[in-house]
Amino acid sequence: MREEGKILKSSWPKVVVRKWLNIRSGGSDEFYSESDDNTKPSSQRRRKSCSNDGYRVVVPEELSEEWFMDERRPGSDQRAPLVSGSLNLRMFVGTWNVGGKYPHDGLDLNDCLKTKEPAEIYVLGFQEIVPLNAGNVLGPEDCGPAEKWLSLIRRALNDDSNFYSVSKQSLWPNDQQQPNIERSGSFSGSISLDDELLEHMDFQERSYSCSREEGSPSPAKDRGNRPSTVQHKYCLAACKQMVGLFLCVWVREDLNQHISSLKVSCVGRGIMGYLGNKGSISISMKLHKSTFCFVCSHLTSGEKEGNAIRRNSDVMEILKRTRFSHSCRISGKPIPPYTILDHDNIIWLGDLNYRLAPISCDTFDLVERRDWQALLEKDQLRIEQKDGGVLEGWEEGEIYFAPTYKYITNSDYYVVQASTPKDKRRTPAWCDRILWRGQGLKQMCYFRGESRFSDHRPVFSLFSFPTILGI
């Protein structure tokens, strides 16, 4: 029994059984979004039921908006016809494992989302927004953290001063001038980042110079057929939570009416291969005539032998079990995407948890010397891709930044020596990644953030893509 969005204690057994057996709630689940009309009072707004694999979407009630069951957005009958042609747009993608910590009011996301020029779409995926304990895994969703993250993101995106400067800690440049690793006579087991170099670097001039693929448009050259950089507001297109996973898509408000066919699908890969402490959330959508799929995943953790194979299995099951059902199909119209690979453009982001294969020399010596290329030769994800084990043919930008895991929280020190026998020793690794498929996508930048909020550093990427105008 559900009362005002809350699950009563008497219904806990049903919630647990449904999660264990991966049963949908009444054959469908709640999917939240909002249109560009926020004038209706919350009492007049209702939730849209959307077919998916279970686990409900979380969004504050005041953000939800009326949605219809067909393939078109509210107000689509009134939208003006579009002229033919194409438009170059930008998409900002971010992933962050926040370690089960609740975001506080003082957490400023401006440094994470700050760009020299704004993007039209922001895709932000989080892992472990709640602690992965038995209560959260087996019981009802804890909606509080997701609501707080949405509030912080909305505040950052709609801050008029957000876009015309780049924080010194928002990205590293492409010339590999990374922050110096602290050097000492003897290695103490912890590595510290030195801010001295950052103080002397002009990040305004270097903004978005990092990891640009050959032939991809530079910000200066990409303005010809882009809309004006007048500050626009952003609205939530869709969001979804599954235990600790949370994925949200934000769009510039004038583009919101041109998004259609929003669908969501969740795959649990945790306990028994079905519970949501690990797995994926995928959101499918259509912008004008182009289809997009965003996959936010948290894969099997661990550095033991065989864990990489389990991560490969997670990826294959996610590709196999993710399905987007479409209740109505219009005769003569293209069939909407049904699987992840059916989409024109796909972004896969998350804590993929791939670690470093055993290295003959001292791993921590390579980290201290900032020899990322030597370490990346032992990166499990790249090895598996090359051998055809997983995500073969998917693209990822060059990595010029330090490993993103595992840090001591609220510090710039890696956890390389266990302080107590109960603590887990973790070799630094690039667990947090963003990959893509799609002929139109071009990566302009690939970098990490420097927030000390959790034991992971966030990772971000900026893409440009052409979209064909039309319905």
Side-chain angles (χ1 to χ4, degrees):
M1 180 182 299
R2 190 182 297 271
E3 193 175 273
E4 296 297 327
K6 297 180 180 180
I7 298 178
L8 301 181
K9 290 183 178 180
S10 60
S11 66
W12 262 67
K14 292 183 180 179
V15 172
V16 174
V17 170
R18 287 186 181 279
K19 283 198 169 186
W20 271 105
L21 300 180
N22 200 29
I23 298 174
R24 301 175 185 174
S25 301
S28 64
D29 220 321
E30 295 165 1
F31 181 85
Y32 285 89
S33 187
E34 64 181 6
S35 72
D36 52 354
D37 178 13
N38 288 321
T39 59
K40 292 183 180 181
S42 59
S43 59
Q44 295 180 15
R45 300 172 184 166
R46 66 180 176 85
R47 297 167 180 171
K48 179 189 184 240
S49 181
C50 181
S51 175
N52 57 49
D53 288 337
Y55 312 105
R56 75 187 183 88
V57 178
V58 174
V59 76
E61 187 65 29
E62 64 269 18
L63 297 183
S64 62
E65 184 57 63
E66 182 175 0
W67 278 79
F68 301 111
M69 289 302 297
D70 64 357
E71 297 299 307
R72 302 176 69 184
R73 299 292 296 274
S76 58
D77 291 337
Q78 288 76 38
R79 73 174 98 169
L82 293 169
V83 296
S84 60
S86 64
L87 187 69
N88 277 347
L89 301 177
R90 293 188 182 191
M91 179 188 304
F92 184 96
V93 180
T95 178
W96 195 5
N97 185 319
V98 295
K101 295 182 62 178
Y102 188 88
H104 52 79
D105 290 331
L107 183 61
D108 187 0
L109 297 184
N110 282 342
D111 282 346
C112 295
L113 303 179
K114 194 172 290 185
T115 59
K116 194 169 185 178
E117 290 187 41
E120 284 72 35
I121 300 175
Y122 287 80
V123 181
L124 303 174
F126 297 86
Q127 304 82 45
E128 296 191 50
I129 64 168
V130 298
L132 300 184
N133 54 39
N136 287 323
V137 175
L138 299 176
E141 307 287 13
D142 180 0
C143 306
E147 294 178 5
K148 186 63 177 179
W149 282 112
L150 288 175
S151 177
L152 292 172
I153 295 166
R154 179 182 293 277
R155 184 175 69 187
L157 289 181
N158 291 316
D159 177 5
D160 290 345
S161 64
N162 187 40
F163 293 107
Y164 303 105
S165 62
V166 178
S167 165
K168 69 176 183 178
Q169 291 187 339
S170 63
L171 54 90
W172 304 129
N174 191 30
D175 55 12
Q176 300 190 49
Q177 294 187 48
Q178 312 289 347
N180 289 328
I181 300 297
E182 183 182 73
R183 297 179 182 277
S184 60
S186 60
F187 182 59
S188 63
S190 296
I191 300 167
S192 175
L193 298 181
D194 186 357
D195 285 336
E196 183 178 0
L197 177 62
L198 292 173
E199 296 295 335
H200 295 87
M201 295 183 66
D202 183 359
F203 275 76
Q204 285 284 83
E205 294 298 322
R206 297 176 182 270
S207 63
Y208 290 111
S209 65
C210 66
S211 301
R212 191 179 301 129
E213 296 292 331
E214 183 178 353
S216 65
S218 67
K221 296 180 180 179
D222 193 35
R223 295 172 183 166
N225 57 348
R226 282 176 45 78
S228 169
T229 56
V230 173
Q231 176 66 23
H232 291 273
K233 296 298 182 182
Y234 293 82
C235 58
L236 182 66
C239 68
K240 178 71 174 176
Q241 177 181 3
M242 181 182 73
V243 189
L245 272 173
F246 184 55
L247 176 62
C248 56
V249 179
W250 298 77
V251 299
R252 209 176 61 193
E253 59 183 359
D254 59 312
L255 288 179
N256 195 39
Q257 62 176 322
H258 302 301
I259 291 178
S260 61
S261 302
L262 273 165
K263 297 293 176 180
V264 64
S265 178
C266 295
V267 174
R269 285 295 297 162
I271 302 171
M272 302 295 290
Y274 278 89
L275 287 187
N277 54 306
K278 292 291 193 294
S280 68
I281 298 172
S282 299
I283 291 178
S284 169
M285 76 177 201
K286 183 178 181 181
L287 173 60
H288 293 300
K289 291 186 177 181
S290 302
T291 58
F292 295 84
C293 183
F294 309 114
V295 184
C296 177
S297 65
H298 191 186
L299 307 184
T300 298
S301 62
E303 300 181 20
K304 296 180 180 179
E305 184 177 356
N307 287 148
I309 303 302
R310 292 182 62 190
R311 289 186 271 273
N312 291 357
S313 178
D314 288 343
V315 171
M316 290 185 284
E317 283 296 304
I318 289 169
L319 289 170
K320 177 182 177 181
R321 289 163 49 186
T322 300
R323 294 291 182 267
F324 304 101
S325 62
H326 295 265
S327 56
C328 58
R329 295 178 180 175
I330 302 174
S331 177
K333 295 287 185 179
I335 298 175
Y338 181 60
T339 69
I340 291 174
L341 298 179
D342 289 340
H343 294 77
D344 299 327
N345 299 288
I346 312 164
I347 304 286
W348 194 308
L349 61 142
D351 180 359
L352 306 190
N353 256 322
Y354 284 94
R355 309 303 173 90
L356 298 180
I359 301 176
S360 56
C361 58
D362 188 345
T363 302
F364 305 112
D365 180 60
L366 293 176
V367 173
E368 186 182 27
R369 290 190 283 116
R370 298 181 290 121
D371 192 346
W372 309 141
Q373 298 311 308
L375 287 172
L376 284 167
E377 290 178 2
K378 296 298 182 178
D379 176 68
Q380 288 179 343
L381 177 56
R382 294 192 169 188
I383 292 173
E384 294 297 328
Q385 283 186 285
K386 184 178 180 180
D387 293 343
V390 68
L391 296 175
E392 185 178 11
W394 289 67
E395 297 185 69
E396 183 182 19
E398 290 296 323
I399 295 176
Y400 294 109
F401 49 83
T404 58
Y405 177 82
K406 176 180 171 98
Y407 283 90
I408 299 173
T409 305
N410 295 322
S411 80
D412 289 327
Y413 294 90
Y414 288 106
V415 178
V416 294
Q417 284 186 333
S419 58
T420 70
K422 293 183 179 180
D423 291 336
K424 295 180 179 179
R425 176 186 173 94
R426 295 299 190 198
T427 302
W430 289 271
C431 293
D432 310 279
R433 313 288 276 268
I434 299 173
L435 294 89
W436 79 92
R437 282 177 59 124
Q439 295 182 351
L441 286 172
K442 292 184 178 180
Q443 189 182 61
M444 303 175 68
C445 192
Y446 193 31
F447 60 99
R448 74 174 217 172
E450 293 307 311
S451 173
R452 300 171 177 176
F453 180 72
S454 82
D455 55 357
H456 288 250
R457 291 295 191 261
V459 171
F460 305 105
S461 182
L462 182 68
F463 294 92
S464 70
F465 63 94
T467 181
I468 301 175
L469 301 180
I471 299 174

